[in-house]
Short mmCIF file of all heavy atoms in Angstrom, two decimals:
data_model
loop_
_atom_site.label_atom_id
_atom_site.label_comp_id
_atom_site.label_asym_id
_atom_site.label_seq_id
_atom_site.Cartn_x
_atom_site.Cartn_y
_atom_site.Cartn_z
N MET A 1 21.47 -170.57 -74.24
CA MET A 1 20.44 -169.67 -73.70
C MET A 1 20.12 -170.05 -72.25
O MET A 1 20.05 -171.21 -71.92
CB MET A 1 19.18 -169.81 -74.56
CG MET A 1 18.10 -168.82 -74.23
SD MET A 1 16.57 -169.26 -75.08
CE MET A 1 15.39 -168.72 -73.87
N SER A 2 19.95 -169.05 -71.43
CA SER A 2 19.61 -169.31 -70.03
C SER A 2 18.12 -169.18 -69.80
O SER A 2 17.42 -168.49 -70.55
CB SER A 2 20.31 -168.30 -69.12
OG SER A 2 21.70 -168.43 -69.21
N LEU A 3 17.67 -169.86 -68.76
CA LEU A 3 16.28 -169.68 -68.35
C LEU A 3 16.16 -169.98 -66.87
O LEU A 3 17.02 -170.63 -66.28
CB LEU A 3 15.33 -170.56 -69.16
CG LEU A 3 15.52 -172.08 -69.18
CD1 LEU A 3 14.98 -172.75 -67.94
CD2 LEU A 3 14.84 -172.65 -70.41
N VAL A 4 15.09 -169.47 -66.27
CA VAL A 4 14.83 -169.73 -64.87
C VAL A 4 13.96 -170.97 -64.77
O VAL A 4 12.91 -171.06 -65.40
CB VAL A 4 14.12 -168.54 -64.19
CG1 VAL A 4 13.80 -168.86 -62.75
CG2 VAL A 4 14.99 -167.29 -64.26
N ALA A 5 14.44 -171.95 -64.00
CA ALA A 5 13.71 -173.21 -63.86
C ALA A 5 13.16 -173.35 -62.44
O ALA A 5 13.79 -172.91 -61.48
CB ALA A 5 14.63 -174.37 -64.17
N VAL A 6 11.99 -173.94 -62.34
CA VAL A 6 11.36 -174.20 -61.04
C VAL A 6 11.72 -175.61 -60.59
O VAL A 6 11.57 -176.57 -61.35
CB VAL A 6 9.83 -174.09 -61.15
CG1 VAL A 6 9.18 -174.28 -59.77
CG2 VAL A 6 9.41 -172.77 -61.76
N LYS A 7 12.24 -175.73 -59.38
CA LYS A 7 12.46 -177.06 -58.81
C LYS A 7 11.11 -177.50 -58.23
O LYS A 7 10.74 -177.12 -57.12
CB LYS A 7 13.52 -177.00 -57.70
CG LYS A 7 14.89 -176.52 -58.18
CD LYS A 7 15.85 -176.44 -57.00
CE LYS A 7 17.06 -175.58 -57.31
NZ LYS A 7 17.88 -175.29 -56.11
N ARG A 8 10.41 -178.28 -59.03
CA ARG A 8 9.03 -178.62 -58.67
C ARG A 8 8.91 -179.42 -57.39
O ARG A 8 7.88 -179.36 -56.69
CB ARG A 8 8.37 -179.39 -59.81
CG ARG A 8 8.17 -178.53 -61.04
CD ARG A 8 7.56 -179.33 -62.19
NE ARG A 8 7.60 -178.54 -63.40
CZ ARG A 8 6.67 -177.66 -63.75
NH1 ARG A 8 5.64 -177.47 -62.98
NH2 ARG A 8 6.78 -176.99 -64.87
N ASP A 9 9.96 -180.18 -57.08
CA ASP A 9 9.89 -180.97 -55.86
C ASP A 9 10.01 -180.09 -54.61
O ASP A 9 9.63 -180.49 -53.52
CB ASP A 9 10.98 -182.05 -55.86
CG ASP A 9 12.37 -181.49 -56.16
OD1 ASP A 9 12.46 -180.47 -56.88
OD2 ASP A 9 13.35 -182.06 -55.67
N LEU A 10 10.55 -178.88 -54.78
CA LEU A 10 10.73 -177.98 -53.64
C LEU A 10 9.64 -176.91 -53.55
O LEU A 10 9.17 -176.59 -52.47
CB LEU A 10 12.08 -177.26 -53.74
CG LEU A 10 13.34 -178.05 -53.41
CD1 LEU A 10 14.55 -177.13 -53.53
CD2 LEU A 10 13.27 -178.63 -52.01
N CYS A 11 9.29 -176.33 -54.67
CA CYS A 11 8.36 -175.19 -54.69
C CYS A 11 7.04 -175.53 -54.00
O CYS A 11 6.40 -176.52 -54.33
CB CYS A 11 8.10 -174.76 -56.13
SG CYS A 11 6.86 -173.46 -56.27
N ASP A 12 6.66 -174.69 -53.03
CA ASP A 12 5.40 -174.93 -52.32
C ASP A 12 4.29 -173.98 -52.79
O ASP A 12 3.28 -173.82 -52.12
CB ASP A 12 5.62 -174.81 -50.81
CG ASP A 12 6.13 -173.43 -50.40
OD1 ASP A 12 6.15 -172.52 -51.25
OD2 ASP A 12 6.50 -173.27 -49.22
N LEU A 13 4.52 -173.34 -53.93
CA LEU A 13 3.51 -172.48 -54.57
C LEU A 13 3.07 -171.33 -53.67
O LEU A 13 1.91 -170.92 -53.69
CB LEU A 13 2.29 -173.32 -55.00
CG LEU A 13 2.60 -174.54 -55.88
CD1 LEU A 13 1.32 -175.35 -56.12
CD2 LEU A 13 3.21 -174.13 -57.21
N CYS A 14 4.01 -170.78 -52.89
CA CYS A 14 3.67 -169.70 -51.96
C CYS A 14 3.34 -168.39 -52.69
O CYS A 14 2.64 -167.54 -52.15
CB CYS A 14 4.80 -169.47 -50.98
SG CYS A 14 6.29 -168.73 -51.71
N GLY A 15 3.89 -168.22 -53.89
CA GLY A 15 3.57 -167.03 -54.68
C GLY A 15 4.44 -165.82 -54.42
O GLY A 15 4.28 -164.78 -55.07
N THR A 16 5.39 -165.91 -53.51
CA THR A 16 6.24 -164.76 -53.18
C THR A 16 6.99 -164.24 -54.41
O THR A 16 7.09 -163.03 -54.62
CB THR A 16 7.26 -165.16 -52.09
OG1 THR A 16 6.54 -165.64 -50.97
CG2 THR A 16 8.13 -163.98 -51.69
N CYS A 17 7.51 -165.13 -55.20
CA CYS A 17 8.31 -164.74 -56.37
C CYS A 17 7.47 -164.00 -57.41
O CYS A 17 7.96 -163.07 -58.06
CB CYS A 17 8.96 -165.96 -56.99
SG CYS A 17 7.79 -167.25 -57.46
N VAL A 18 6.24 -164.40 -57.57
CA VAL A 18 5.38 -163.83 -58.61
C VAL A 18 5.25 -162.32 -58.45
O VAL A 18 5.26 -161.58 -59.43
CB VAL A 18 3.98 -164.50 -58.58
CG1 VAL A 18 3.05 -163.87 -59.61
CG2 VAL A 18 4.10 -166.00 -58.80
N GLY A 19 5.21 -161.86 -57.21
CA GLY A 19 5.02 -160.45 -56.95
C GLY A 19 6.21 -159.56 -57.28
O GLY A 19 6.05 -158.35 -57.38
N VAL A 20 7.39 -160.13 -57.41
CA VAL A 20 8.57 -159.30 -57.67
C VAL A 20 8.99 -159.28 -59.13
O VAL A 20 9.89 -158.54 -59.52
CB VAL A 20 9.79 -159.72 -56.81
CG1 VAL A 20 9.45 -159.65 -55.33
CG2 VAL A 20 10.30 -161.09 -57.19
N CYS A 21 8.35 -160.07 -59.97
CA CYS A 21 8.76 -160.13 -61.37
C CYS A 21 8.38 -158.83 -62.09
O CYS A 21 7.21 -158.47 -62.15
CB CYS A 21 8.09 -161.32 -62.07
SG CYS A 21 8.57 -161.43 -63.81
N PRO A 22 9.37 -158.10 -62.61
CA PRO A 22 9.11 -156.80 -63.22
C PRO A 22 8.39 -156.87 -64.57
O PRO A 22 7.84 -155.87 -65.02
CB PRO A 22 10.50 -156.18 -63.38
CG PRO A 22 11.43 -157.34 -63.43
CD PRO A 22 10.82 -158.43 -62.61
N VAL A 23 8.40 -158.05 -65.17
CA VAL A 23 7.74 -158.17 -66.48
C VAL A 23 6.52 -159.10 -66.43
O VAL A 23 5.96 -159.46 -67.46
CB VAL A 23 8.73 -158.65 -67.57
CG1 VAL A 23 9.78 -157.58 -67.85
CG2 VAL A 23 9.39 -159.97 -67.19
N ASP A 24 6.13 -159.48 -65.21
CA ASP A 24 4.91 -160.24 -65.00
C ASP A 24 4.83 -161.51 -65.86
O ASP A 24 3.81 -161.78 -66.48
CB ASP A 24 3.70 -159.33 -65.30
CG ASP A 24 2.42 -159.87 -64.65
OD1 ASP A 24 2.53 -160.65 -63.69
OD2 ASP A 24 1.33 -159.51 -65.12
N CYS A 25 5.94 -162.25 -65.89
CA CYS A 25 5.95 -163.45 -66.74
C CYS A 25 5.80 -164.74 -65.95
O CYS A 25 5.99 -165.83 -66.47
CB CYS A 25 7.21 -163.49 -67.59
SG CYS A 25 8.72 -163.79 -66.66
N MET A 26 5.45 -164.62 -64.65
CA MET A 26 5.25 -165.81 -63.83
C MET A 26 3.77 -166.00 -63.58
O MET A 26 3.05 -165.05 -63.28
CB MET A 26 5.99 -165.67 -62.49
CG MET A 26 7.42 -165.22 -62.65
SD MET A 26 8.32 -165.14 -61.09
CE MET A 26 8.87 -166.83 -60.93
N GLU A 27 3.35 -167.25 -63.70
CA GLU A 27 1.93 -167.55 -63.48
C GLU A 27 1.81 -168.69 -62.48
O GLU A 27 2.42 -169.74 -62.64
CB GLU A 27 1.27 -167.97 -64.80
CG GLU A 27 -0.22 -168.21 -64.65
CD GLU A 27 -0.82 -168.91 -65.86
OE1 GLU A 27 -0.10 -169.12 -66.85
OE2 GLU A 27 -2.01 -169.27 -65.80
N LEU A 28 1.03 -168.43 -61.44
CA LEU A 28 0.84 -169.43 -60.40
C LEU A 28 -0.54 -170.06 -60.57
O LEU A 28 -1.55 -169.35 -60.60
CB LEU A 28 0.94 -168.76 -59.03
CG LEU A 28 1.01 -169.64 -57.80
CD1 LEU A 28 2.25 -170.50 -57.80
CD2 LEU A 28 0.97 -168.78 -56.55
N THR A 29 -0.58 -171.38 -60.70
CA THR A 29 -1.86 -172.07 -60.74
C THR A 29 -1.99 -172.86 -59.44
O THR A 29 -1.10 -172.81 -58.59
CB THR A 29 -1.96 -173.03 -61.94
OG1 THR A 29 -1.13 -174.18 -61.68
CG2 THR A 29 -1.51 -172.36 -63.23
N GLU A 30 -3.04 -173.62 -59.31
CA GLU A 30 -3.21 -174.41 -58.08
C GLU A 30 -2.19 -175.53 -57.99
O GLU A 30 -1.93 -176.06 -56.91
CB GLU A 30 -4.64 -174.98 -58.03
CG GLU A 30 -5.64 -173.95 -57.59
CD GLU A 30 -7.02 -174.54 -57.39
OE1 GLU A 30 -7.13 -175.77 -57.28
OE2 GLU A 30 -7.97 -173.76 -57.36
N THR A 31 -1.62 -175.90 -59.13
CA THR A 31 -0.73 -177.05 -59.12
C THR A 31 0.70 -176.76 -59.55
O THR A 31 1.58 -177.58 -59.35
CB THR A 31 -1.27 -178.16 -60.05
OG1 THR A 31 -1.50 -177.59 -61.34
CG2 THR A 31 -2.56 -178.74 -59.51
N GLU A 32 0.92 -175.59 -60.16
CA GLU A 32 2.30 -175.33 -60.61
C GLU A 32 2.59 -173.84 -60.80
O GLU A 32 1.69 -173.03 -60.92
CB GLU A 32 2.60 -176.08 -61.90
CG GLU A 32 1.79 -175.60 -63.08
CD GLU A 32 2.17 -176.30 -64.38
OE1 GLU A 32 3.23 -176.96 -64.43
OE2 GLU A 32 1.41 -176.19 -65.34
N LEU A 33 3.88 -173.57 -60.82
CA LEU A 33 4.36 -172.23 -61.13
C LEU A 33 4.95 -172.27 -62.53
O LEU A 33 5.83 -173.08 -62.82
CB LEU A 33 5.45 -171.83 -60.12
CG LEU A 33 6.20 -170.52 -60.40
CD1 LEU A 33 5.26 -169.32 -60.30
CD2 LEU A 33 7.37 -170.37 -59.44
N ARG A 34 4.46 -171.43 -63.41
CA ARG A 34 4.96 -171.40 -64.79
C ARG A 34 5.70 -170.10 -65.04
O ARG A 34 5.31 -169.05 -64.55
CB ARG A 34 3.78 -171.48 -65.78
CG ARG A 34 3.01 -172.77 -65.71
CD ARG A 34 1.96 -172.79 -66.82
NE ARG A 34 0.99 -173.84 -66.56
CZ ARG A 34 -0.32 -173.71 -66.74
NH1 ARG A 34 -0.82 -172.58 -67.20
NH2 ARG A 34 -1.13 -174.72 -66.49
N ILE A 35 6.77 -170.20 -65.82
CA ILE A 35 7.54 -169.02 -66.19
C ILE A 35 7.60 -168.95 -67.71
O ILE A 35 8.02 -169.90 -68.36
CB ILE A 35 8.96 -169.08 -65.61
CG1 ILE A 35 8.88 -169.14 -64.08
CG2 ILE A 35 9.77 -167.87 -66.06
CD1 ILE A 35 10.23 -169.33 -63.39
N ASP A 36 7.19 -167.83 -68.24
CA ASP A 36 7.24 -167.63 -69.69
C ASP A 36 8.66 -167.19 -70.07
O ASP A 36 9.03 -166.03 -69.88
CB ASP A 36 6.21 -166.58 -70.11
CG ASP A 36 6.28 -166.29 -71.61
OD1 ASP A 36 7.05 -166.98 -72.32
OD2 ASP A 36 5.58 -165.37 -72.04
N ALA A 37 9.43 -168.13 -70.58
CA ALA A 37 10.84 -167.87 -70.87
C ALA A 37 11.03 -166.83 -71.96
O ALA A 37 12.07 -166.17 -72.04
CB ALA A 37 11.53 -169.18 -71.26
N GLU A 38 10.03 -166.66 -72.81
CA GLU A 38 10.13 -165.67 -73.89
C GLU A 38 10.11 -164.25 -73.32
O GLU A 38 10.78 -163.35 -73.84
CB GLU A 38 8.94 -165.82 -74.83
CG GLU A 38 8.83 -167.18 -75.48
CD GLU A 38 9.54 -167.22 -76.82
OE1 GLU A 38 9.28 -166.33 -77.64
OE2 GLU A 38 10.36 -168.13 -77.01
N THR A 39 9.36 -164.07 -72.25
CA THR A 39 9.19 -162.74 -71.67
C THR A 39 10.21 -162.45 -70.57
O THR A 39 10.60 -161.31 -70.36
CB THR A 39 7.76 -162.61 -71.08
OG1 THR A 39 6.83 -163.01 -72.06
CG2 THR A 39 7.47 -161.17 -70.67
N CYS A 40 10.68 -163.48 -69.90
CA CYS A 40 11.63 -163.34 -68.79
C CYS A 40 12.90 -162.59 -69.23
O CYS A 40 13.48 -162.89 -70.27
CB CYS A 40 12.00 -164.73 -68.27
SG CYS A 40 13.31 -164.72 -67.02
N ILE A 41 13.32 -161.61 -68.43
CA ILE A 41 14.53 -160.83 -68.74
C ILE A 41 15.72 -161.26 -67.89
O ILE A 41 16.74 -160.59 -67.84
CB ILE A 41 14.27 -159.32 -68.56
CG1 ILE A 41 13.80 -159.00 -67.14
CG2 ILE A 41 13.24 -158.83 -69.59
CD1 ILE A 41 13.72 -157.52 -66.82
N LEU A 42 15.58 -162.40 -67.18
CA LEU A 42 16.68 -163.00 -66.41
C LEU A 42 17.24 -162.05 -65.35
O LEU A 42 18.44 -162.03 -65.09
CB LEU A 42 17.80 -163.47 -67.36
CG LEU A 42 17.36 -164.44 -68.47
CD1 LEU A 42 18.54 -164.74 -69.40
CD2 LEU A 42 16.81 -165.73 -67.89
N CYS A 43 16.37 -161.30 -64.72
CA CYS A 43 16.82 -160.33 -63.72
C CYS A 43 17.22 -160.98 -62.39
O CYS A 43 17.87 -160.37 -61.56
CB CYS A 43 15.73 -159.29 -63.46
SG CYS A 43 14.28 -159.97 -62.61
N ARG A 44 16.75 -162.18 -62.18
CA ARG A 44 17.05 -162.98 -60.97
C ARG A 44 16.30 -162.52 -59.72
O ARG A 44 16.55 -163.05 -58.62
CB ARG A 44 18.56 -163.00 -60.65
CG ARG A 44 19.43 -163.47 -61.78
CD ARG A 44 20.87 -163.59 -61.31
NE ARG A 44 21.01 -164.74 -60.42
CZ ARG A 44 21.52 -165.91 -60.80
NH1 ARG A 44 21.92 -166.09 -62.03
NH2 ARG A 44 21.60 -166.90 -59.95
N PHE A 45 15.43 -161.54 -59.82
CA PHE A 45 14.71 -161.09 -58.62
C PHE A 45 13.97 -162.24 -57.96
O PHE A 45 13.95 -162.39 -56.74
CB PHE A 45 13.70 -159.98 -58.99
CG PHE A 45 14.32 -158.67 -59.37
CD1 PHE A 45 13.50 -157.64 -59.84
CD2 PHE A 45 15.67 -158.44 -59.26
CE1 PHE A 45 14.05 -156.41 -60.20
CE2 PHE A 45 16.23 -157.22 -59.61
CZ PHE A 45 15.41 -156.20 -60.08
N CYS A 46 13.34 -163.08 -58.78
CA CYS A 46 12.55 -164.19 -58.23
C CYS A 46 13.46 -165.20 -57.53
O CYS A 46 13.12 -165.72 -56.46
CB CYS A 46 11.76 -164.87 -59.34
SG CYS A 46 12.77 -165.47 -60.73
N ILE A 47 14.62 -165.46 -58.13
CA ILE A 47 15.56 -166.42 -57.54
C ILE A 47 16.01 -165.92 -56.17
O ILE A 47 16.08 -166.66 -55.20
CB ILE A 47 16.77 -166.61 -58.47
CG1 ILE A 47 16.34 -167.27 -59.77
CG2 ILE A 47 17.87 -167.42 -57.77
CD1 ILE A 47 17.43 -167.36 -60.83
N ASP A 48 16.32 -164.62 -56.11
CA ASP A 48 16.83 -164.05 -54.87
C ASP A 48 15.79 -164.00 -53.75
O ASP A 48 16.13 -164.10 -52.58
CB ASP A 48 17.35 -162.63 -55.12
CG ASP A 48 18.61 -162.64 -55.99
OD1 ASP A 48 19.23 -163.71 -56.11
OD2 ASP A 48 18.96 -161.58 -56.54
N ILE A 49 14.51 -163.88 -54.12
CA ILE A 49 13.50 -163.70 -53.07
C ILE A 49 12.88 -165.02 -52.60
O ILE A 49 12.30 -165.07 -51.51
CB ILE A 49 12.40 -162.73 -53.52
CG1 ILE A 49 11.72 -162.10 -52.31
CG2 ILE A 49 11.37 -163.43 -54.41
CD1 ILE A 49 11.05 -160.80 -52.55
N CYS A 50 13.02 -166.07 -53.37
CA CYS A 50 12.40 -167.34 -52.96
C CYS A 50 13.00 -167.81 -51.63
O CYS A 50 14.21 -168.03 -51.53
CB CYS A 50 12.60 -168.42 -54.02
SG CYS A 50 11.93 -170.02 -53.47
N PRO A 51 12.16 -167.99 -50.61
CA PRO A 51 12.68 -168.33 -49.28
C PRO A 51 13.28 -169.73 -49.17
O PRO A 51 14.03 -170.01 -48.23
CB PRO A 51 11.46 -168.18 -48.36
CG PRO A 51 10.28 -168.28 -49.26
CD PRO A 51 10.70 -167.81 -50.61
N ILE A 52 12.98 -170.59 -50.12
CA ILE A 52 13.50 -171.96 -50.01
C ILE A 52 14.36 -172.36 -51.21
O ILE A 52 14.59 -173.54 -51.45
CB ILE A 52 12.35 -172.98 -49.84
CG1 ILE A 52 11.33 -172.86 -50.97
CG2 ILE A 52 11.66 -172.78 -48.50
CD1 ILE A 52 10.30 -173.97 -50.98
N GLU A 53 14.80 -171.37 -51.97
CA GLU A 53 15.70 -171.60 -53.11
C GLU A 53 15.15 -172.64 -54.09
O GLU A 53 15.85 -173.56 -54.50
CB GLU A 53 17.10 -172.01 -52.61
CG GLU A 53 17.73 -170.91 -51.78
CD GLU A 53 19.15 -171.23 -51.33
OE1 GLU A 53 19.72 -172.23 -51.78
OE2 GLU A 53 19.69 -170.46 -50.50
N ALA A 54 13.90 -172.44 -54.44
CA ALA A 54 13.25 -173.38 -55.36
C ALA A 54 13.37 -172.95 -56.82
O ALA A 54 12.80 -173.61 -57.70
CB ALA A 54 11.78 -173.55 -54.98
N LEU A 55 14.08 -171.85 -57.08
CA LEU A 55 14.29 -171.40 -58.46
C LEU A 55 15.78 -171.40 -58.76
O LEU A 55 16.60 -171.12 -57.89
CB LEU A 55 13.74 -169.98 -58.64
CG LEU A 55 12.23 -169.82 -58.52
CD1 LEU A 55 11.86 -168.35 -58.46
CD2 LEU A 55 11.51 -170.51 -59.65
N GLU A 56 16.11 -171.70 -60.00
CA GLU A 56 17.52 -171.70 -60.39
C GLU A 56 17.68 -171.25 -61.83
O GLU A 56 16.78 -171.42 -62.65
CB GLU A 56 18.14 -173.09 -60.21
CG GLU A 56 17.47 -174.15 -61.08
CD GLU A 56 18.02 -175.55 -60.84
OE1 GLU A 56 19.11 -175.66 -60.25
OE2 GLU A 56 17.35 -176.51 -61.22
N MET A 57 18.83 -170.67 -62.12
CA MET A 57 19.17 -170.29 -63.48
C MET A 57 19.79 -171.49 -64.17
O MET A 57 20.69 -172.12 -63.62
CB MET A 57 20.15 -169.13 -63.46
CG MET A 57 20.32 -168.42 -64.79
SD MET A 57 18.89 -167.44 -65.27
CE MET A 57 19.09 -165.97 -64.25
N LYS A 58 19.28 -171.81 -65.34
CA LYS A 58 19.80 -172.97 -66.07
C LYS A 58 20.24 -172.56 -67.45
O LYS A 58 19.64 -171.68 -68.07
CB LYS A 58 18.69 -174.03 -66.21
CG LYS A 58 18.61 -175.01 -65.07
CD LYS A 58 17.77 -176.20 -65.46
CE LYS A 58 17.83 -177.29 -64.42
NZ LYS A 58 16.86 -178.34 -64.66
N ASP A 59 21.27 -173.21 -67.94
CA ASP A 59 21.71 -173.00 -69.32
C ASP A 59 21.14 -174.11 -70.18
O ASP A 59 21.20 -175.27 -69.81
CB ASP A 59 23.24 -173.04 -69.39
CG ASP A 59 23.85 -171.81 -68.78
OD1 ASP A 59 23.29 -170.72 -68.99
OD2 ASP A 59 24.86 -171.93 -68.09
N GLU A 60 20.59 -173.72 -71.29
CA GLU A 60 20.02 -174.72 -72.18
C GLU A 60 20.88 -174.92 -73.40
O GLU A 60 21.38 -173.97 -73.97
CB GLU A 60 18.63 -174.28 -72.63
CG GLU A 60 17.54 -174.83 -71.76
CD GLU A 60 16.24 -174.98 -72.54
OE1 GLU A 60 16.03 -174.23 -73.50
OE2 GLU A 60 15.45 -175.84 -72.18
S1 SF4 B 1 14.27 -163.72 -63.62
FE1 SF4 B 1 13.18 -161.75 -63.42
S2 SF4 B 1 11.97 -161.58 -65.30
FE2 SF4 B 1 12.56 -163.73 -65.11
S3 SF4 B 1 10.85 -164.73 -64.04
FE3 SF4 B 1 12.37 -164.10 -62.48
S4 SF4 B 1 11.68 -162.08 -61.78
FE4 SF4 B 1 10.66 -162.50 -63.75
S1 SF4 B 2 8.84 -168.08 -53.96
FE1 SF4 B 2 9.80 -170.10 -54.26
S2 SF4 B 2 8.45 -171.54 -53.19
FE2 SF4 B 2 7.29 -169.63 -53.50
S3 SF4 B 2 6.17 -169.93 -55.45
FE3 SF4 B 2 8.13 -168.92 -55.92
S4 SF4 B 2 9.54 -170.60 -56.42
FE4 SF4 B 2 7.81 -171.50 -55.36
#
């Protein structure tokens, strides 16, 4: 199974990715970006828009 993972050491919590998610499964808090893998449809929009490549597709 694949999922989108956040590279926590890179992500600066800018929030750009959250706005493009078509199923609204990303949640930004003051300290982290969370992705609900159950809801995510693996569209990659967030991966493509992140300006610093802090998101990646991972196989579990
Ligand atoms: S891959 Fe698509 S559905 Fe999944 S978190 Fe990113 S934008 Fe949302
Ligand atoms: S766009 Fe990239 S740096 Fe910004 S919150 Fe999303 S993953 Fe983090």
Side-chain angles (χ1 to χ4, degrees):
M1 187 190 146
S2 297
L3 58 79
V4 177
V6 183
K7 299 177 198 170
R8 292 178 190 275
D9 51 331
L10 285 182
C11 175
D12 60 9
L13 306 175
C14 70
T16 303
C17 56
V18 177
V20 302
C21 180
V23 292
D24 200 21
C25 70
M26 311 183 85
E27 184 193 355
L28 191 63
T29 73
E30 281 186 17
T31 53
E32 66 176 345
L33 172 66
R34 296 185 195 139
I35 299 175
D36 177 6
E38 301 268 308
T39 310
C40 173
I41 57 171
L42 305 176
C43 69
R44 305 186 72 101
F45 290 174
C46 56
I47 294 173
D48 291 343
I49 204 157
C50 176
I52 56 171
E53 298 183 9
L55 294 169
E56 61 184 343
M57 194 71 78
K58 272 195 171 170
D59 288 321
E60 267 208 332

